[in-house]
Amino acid sequence: MAKLFSAEWMNELKDAWNNDPEVSGKLAEIGFDSVITCGFKDQEDPVGVFVVEKGICTRAGSWNGETPDWDMRADMDDWLKWVKKGIGMMGMGTAYATGKLKFKHGDYAAMIKDPRMAGPFVKSFNLMKDIGADELS
């Protein structure tokens, strides 16, 4: 299993994303373009990057200074819990409301109110469960 947010892991997530019509297909329908980064709340910079063009992830790997449209942060324990157990819409809302999931960039409230984005967003988190992860060292 690859380490969480490593280039290898991000590319496994890219493949899972692109192969899931409920994520890539639904986002392609609305022409979703975005640079998505992720990492840890206690770090200044993100760890991984995910570039999406018209719903399809065209590049994924280690963050290399890209400017994010979305930058999601959580503690390692929370990321690993979501990787292991997945998360639904209610769990996502709770994680955001309690500060377990933070957005340094991006408007979570606007996104979650738009069903064209909310469903694929939650589904993308559950793709992490499908690929699993090891803790970063």
Side-chain angles (χ1 to χ4, degrees):
M1 212 175 308
K3 296 204 180 294
L4 182 66
F5 301 140
S6 67
E8 178 185 358
W9 189 87
M10 294 299 291
N11 276 286
E12 287 179 22
L13 184 60
K14 171 187 169 202
D15 292 342
W17 172 292
N18 289 339
N19 289 321
D20 191 319
E22 292 299 311
V23 178
S24 60
K26 295 291 185 188
L27 293 174
E29 289 174 8
I30 63 170
F32 182 78
D33 294 331
S34 196
V35 175
I36 303 165
T37 58
C38 44
F40 304 101
K41 292 193 291 188
D42 63 346
Q43 295 179 355
E44 181 66 27
D45 294 326
V47 180
V49 65
F50 205 75
V51 179
V52 179
E53 298 174 9
K54 306 285 185 262
I56 303 298
C57 181
T58 58
R59 185 170 55 86
S62 298
W63 181 75
N64 194 27
E66 297 89 348
T67 300
D69 299 300
W70 298 91
D71 183 3
M72 299 177 290
R73 303 298 181 95
D75 292 330
M76 175 65 80
D77 290 345
D78 289 317
W79 281 120
L80 291 175
K81 177 177 72 177
W82 299 326
V83 166
K84 183 177 180 181
K85 296 182 178 179
I87 191 168
M89 188 73 74
M90 187 176 300
M92 182 78 63
T94 300
Y96 177 74
T98 61
K100 289 185 176 189
L101 177 63
K102 295 212 177 267
F103 286 77
K104 287 185 90 169
H105 296 280
D107 186 349
Y108 172 82
M111 179 270 301
I112 210 70
K113 290 177 186 171
D114 183 346
R116 301 171 310 154
M117 289 180 64
F121 177 72
V122 172
K123 176 71 174 168
S124 73
F125 261 70
N126 287 306
L127 294 175
M128 297 187 301
K129 179 181 170 191
D130 294 343
I131 62 174
D134 287 332
E135 186 171 335
L136 262 177
S137 4

